[in-house]
Amino acid sequence: MDEQPGPVQDPTAESGGSLDQRAELSEFLRTRRARLKPEDVGLPDFGRHRRVPGLRREELAQLAGVSVAYYTRLEQGNGRNVSAEVLDAIARALRLTDAERAHLTHLAKPKQHKKKQSARTQQVRGALRQLLDTMDGIPGYIVGRRSDILVWNRMAAAVFGDWAQLQQQERNWARMVFLKPDYRELFVEWEQKATDIVSYLRMDAGCHPDDPLLSALVGELSVKSEEFRRLWATHDVKEKSHGVKRMHHPLVGRLELSFETFKLVDDPEQSLITYHAEPGSPSAEALRLLASWGTDATRAGAQSSTPPL
């Protein structure tokens, strides 16, 4: 197992290196309201021209059972003294997912975090490192805050690349997906992977708006990647759970792997991610080949005509 185009405005610049909680709350509510149409929520649409897409504030306030003035103050970023009941009513009116509800609560009623704690280095328990070592043939790694990759096993290195060759701060899914061309070639549905990564970062930002390392990461990616800026502006949020990733590996070709996410009970900011292939499938055979090659698979990739991961 291994250890771990022109000037663009930095979205963290105006808040002294942290994300502006009031602005985040305002934009999140505005973008959630904009995606709804009157017919989506059972309201009549009289065909009047709407200057902006989505529900009007007064329509959303009506659905949530609050005054227009109260909702307007909330959408302007003033979440002080808002009750859990009101937030729940607004979440129902906006048809929020569970992840979006949690994000709204984090933004409107933030918990106090010490900055020193926010920037601390995450540690992985020794037993978990041993567990990864014993997962023979199963790619696995532990991801922490900010999409940082903390530890991984040799099969993860064989599938995703030799992360041991990267500097510690580069072992980060967001940096790799948006800044390293090899990962654009690896993931068949790169756009979906990029969208997911940004959604996970948004959830993290809602929980830890004063994290200087997260703010620095968002600022760096906003400057270096137009695609990141576009996706960050959507304010979409999502929790990593399970699904399928389709990849084109430089050595074994097409891989279709199911992934599962196991959030650690004693540290919910860390998650164990595992990948597996359907038994008897071409992807299962490809994993078997990679397992037999071991860490030599990554070295072989460096000698192949396809750029190594």
Side-chain angles (χ1 to χ4, degrees):
M1 179 191 63
D2 296 292
E3 293 286 348
Q4 2 178 309
V8 178
Q9 182 180 2
D10 183 340
T12 68
E14 296 181 358
S15 51
S18 62
L19 295 170
D20 186 336
Q21 201 81 347
R22 288 173 61 95
E24 291 293 305
L25 174 60
S26 176
E27 284 300 297
F28 179 69
L29 287 172
R30 185 189 62 79
T31 54
R32 299 314 91 179
R33 179 168 58 85
R35 70 184 181 181
L36 292 175
K37 298 177 182 178
E39 55 266 33
D40 295 333
V41 293
L43 291 178
D45 185 359
F46 299 107
R48 293 176 295 177
H49 175 69
R50 293 174 180 260
R51 291 180 297 174
V52 294
L55 295 179
R56 297 187 175 93
R57 284 176 175 171
E58 55 267 28
E59 292 171 329
L60 197 285
Q62 175 187 342
L63 287 170
V66 299
S67 70
V68 176
Y70 188 97
Y71 176 75
T72 298
R73 287 196 300 272
L74 185 62
E75 192 172 294
Q76 289 173 343
N78 186 2
R80 290 179 298 176
N81 302 320
V82 62
S83 68
E85 290 76 17
V86 168
L87 286 179
D88 190 55
I90 291 173
R92 288 197 303 270
L94 288 170
R95 306 294 196 265
L96 299 187
T97 65
D98 290 343
E100 289 172 330
R101 284 172 178 258
H103 188 61
L104 174 61
T105 300
H106 292 149
L107 294 177
K109 303 176 76 67
K111 296 180 181 179
Q112 296 299 317
H113 295 279
K114 295 181 180 179
K115 291 190 177 183
K116 289 184 179 180
Q117 291 179 334
S118 296
R120 73 187 188 279
T121 301
Q122 291 181 279
Q123 301 296 325
V124 177
R125 286 190 289 111
L128 288 172
R129 297 168 183 266
Q130 295 170 5
L131 174 63
L132 280 173
D133 281 340
T134 62
M135 292 166 52
D136 190 35
I138 299 177
Y141 58 86
I142 292 177
V143 66
R145 293 258 299 280
R146 318 170 197 97
S147 72
D148 286 340
I149 299 166
L150 304 178
V151 292
W152 60 94
N153 61 15
R154 71 184 187 97
M155 278 303 297
V159 171
F160 298 108
D162 191 358
W163 290 329
Q165 299 300 313
L166 300 177
Q167 296 294 323
Q168 183 175 353
Q169 71 171 10
E170 293 180 311
R171 299 169 194 162
N172 174 279
W173 270 120
R175 280 195 177 95
M176 293 189 299
V177 165
F178 285 99
L179 303 183
K180 290 187 176 295
D182 296 338
Y183 284 85
R184 190 181 295 267
E185 297 175 7
L186 174 64
F187 293 102
V188 175
E189 293 108 356
W190 180 89
E191 178 76 17
Q192 185 59 57
K193 177 67 175 179
T195 299
D196 290 344
I197 289 294
V198 175
S199 298
Y200 306 151
L201 283 182
R202 270 286 180 197
M203 286 291 294
D204 204 359
C207 295
H208 303 281
D210 294 326
D211 183 343
L213 297 181
L214 177 58
S215 297
L217 175 64
V218 171
E220 175 189 354
L221 294 175
S222 296
V223 169
K224 295 180 178 179
S225 172
E226 181 180 355
E227 288 155 317
F228 178 85
R229 293 196 301 274
R230 173 177 57 82
L231 292 171
W232 187 254
T234 66
H235 287 263
D236 290 340
V237 294
K238 184 179 181 180
E239 288 274 21
K240 190 174 182 69
S241 56
H242 57 85
V244 175
K245 282 289 179 284
R246 297 173 180 85
M247 292 170 273
H248 184 79
H249 194 277
L251 296 181
V252 296
R254 180 84 173 198
L255 278 175
E256 184 168 311
L257 304 179
S258 297
F259 70 88
E260 298 287 343
T261 303
F262 305 92
K263 187 167 289 189
L264 306 187
V265 175
D266 60 342
D267 188 352
E269 293 179 350
Q270 295 185 23
S271 297
L272 169 64
I273 316 296
T274 65
Y275 290 78
H276 69 277
E278 182 180 350
S281 67
S283 293
E285 175 61 17
L287 279 186
R288 189 192 65 77
L289 287 174
L290 288 175
S292 66
W293 293 336
T295 54
D296 291 337
T298 305
R299 299 190 184 97
Q303 301 171 6
S304 69
S305 58
T306 305
L309 299 178

